[in-house]
Amino acid sequence: MTSSNAAEPVPATLRVRELMTAGLLSHAIGVLCDLGVPDILDAPRTHEDIAKEVDAHPEGLLSFLRAAAAAGVLAEPAPRTFELTELGQVLRADDPRSIKAMCSLTCRDEFSRTWSDSLHTARTGEPSFAIGHGASFFDYMGSNREFASLFDRAMQSSAAVDNLLAGYDFSGAGHVVDVGGGRGTMLAAVLKRYPTLRGTLVDLPHVVGNARKTFVDAGVADRGTLVPGSFFEPVPEGGDVYLLSRVIGNWNDEDSLRILRTVRTAMRPDSELVVVGMMPSENDRTHYPQQLDLYMFALLGARLRSYAEYQDLFAQVNMRAVDWSNYPDSESVLRARVL
């Protein structure tokens, strides 16, 4: 009988096989989120017990549970018995850090088809999403309300509110205009932190229609105004602060410049622009920013930008970045002004 040496290097072929099948682990986690498995794991449970509660096939579910355990979000303390790890807690809907909706979103068929056609992106520089869907990402979302609703929930639940509140001081402002702010999660949090601040949320009509409840739940409805519109069209003028969160990172340079020109036109000489988004830097500890950059390009033809690349973009619209709060592997906060 022979045994393997734990110190022996893993062969390159095995390492590459592991890389090529890593996506299966993410899909396993997505399936468990869709079934609601993390939400019922308050204690170790057998795979049969879990399957019964979430209406799944016990043997069919077992492989998904073990894949999730291999990924580290579950543990198998006894044969066919599973529990959530500390890492897996963020998959629960009731966890304040929950990314359950984001996991469900990224494992959708819309994204799988995009990756299947991604050779088109590498060869042409064009997003591959439209190959399998006959429409751009945002046009498709406008015609698929169920998908759009999940997208909005995922964006709302993962908004970098803490980064913004730590990275920018709104105490000197009276009015903030959140352009493309979705359901208003970030703006509502800002208004709640700063009780004398007024806010205006600008987004597409079907999006801002869901924001009133966000403002009411946060207790800021009396200071929040909803304006149906687009960042490609004129936005409300005269704000002290204009906020673009997860906006510029969704568009190519040409469209990003259109957005920045629209916002700059609305700004006063003393207004400030705050951009929140993933900005790859040498401080990152994981590959996530590079993976997200690929994700954005295949879906949207967009690219994540570093601080220096944002500075180059601003220079083309007579603006400049004046400060940057960098949060490694997360969304940074950049402050810019009109020249």
Side-chain angles (χ1 to χ4, degrees), residues 129-145:
F129 183 89
I131 301 299
H133 300 89
S136 69
F137 180 80
F138 288 116
D139 285 345
Y140 175 83
M141 194 163 62
S143 65
N144 187 323
R145 301 309 315 139

Side-chain angles (χ1 to χ4, degrees), residues 101-268:
M102 182 63 75
C103 289
S104 293
L105 176 69
T106 55
C107 291
R108 290 271 303 214
D109 177 63
E110 284 88 348
F111 298 106
S112 297
R113 293 173 68 183
T114 297
W115 302 131
S116 296
D117 293 320
S118 57
L119 180 61
H120 173 82
T121 295
R123 282 183 166 160
T124 68
E126 300 171 350
S128 54
F129 183 89
I131 301 299
H133 300 89
S136 69
F137 180 80
F138 288 116
D139 285 345
Y140 175 83
M141 194 163 62
S143 65
N144 187 323
R145 301 309 315 139
E146 185 266 337
F147 179 74
S149 178
L150 176 58
F151 180 85
D152 289 343
R153 293 199 307 274
M155 294 301 102
Q156 181 177 356
S157 66
S158 63
V161 172
D162 292 342
N163 293 15
L164 175 62
L165 293 177
Y168 188 80
D169 182 4
F170 288 87
S171 59
H175 181 203
V176 56
V177 181
D178 187 354
V179 183
R183 297 186 178 204
T185 300
M186 188 164 282
L187 180 57
V190 171
L191 296 179
K192 189 170 184 178
R193 172 70 66 87
Y194 295 89
T196 63
L197 190 64
R198 294 178 297 107
T200 297
L201 177 68
V202 182
D203 213 315
L204 298 175
H206 72 272
V207 177
V208 295
N210 296 312
R212 176 57 61 188
K213 184 178 186 303
T214 304
F215 286 175
V216 170
D217 290 346
V220 299
D222 59 326
R223 292 183 288 122
T225 301
L226 304 180
V227 176
S230 164
F231 37 59
F232 291 120
E233 302 168 354
V235 298
E237 298 181 350
D240 299 302
V241 178
Y242 284 80
L243 177 62
L244 288 173
S245 177
R246 292 181 177 173
V247 172
I248 300 300
N250 291 344
W251 300 91
N252 59 30
D253 283 355
E254 180 182 354
D255 287 328
S256 293
L257 290 170
R258 288 177 60 202
I259 295 167
L260 289 174
R261 289 189 182 102
T262 297
V263 174
R264 188 192 180 286
T265 298
M267 294 172 66
R268 302 192 310 262

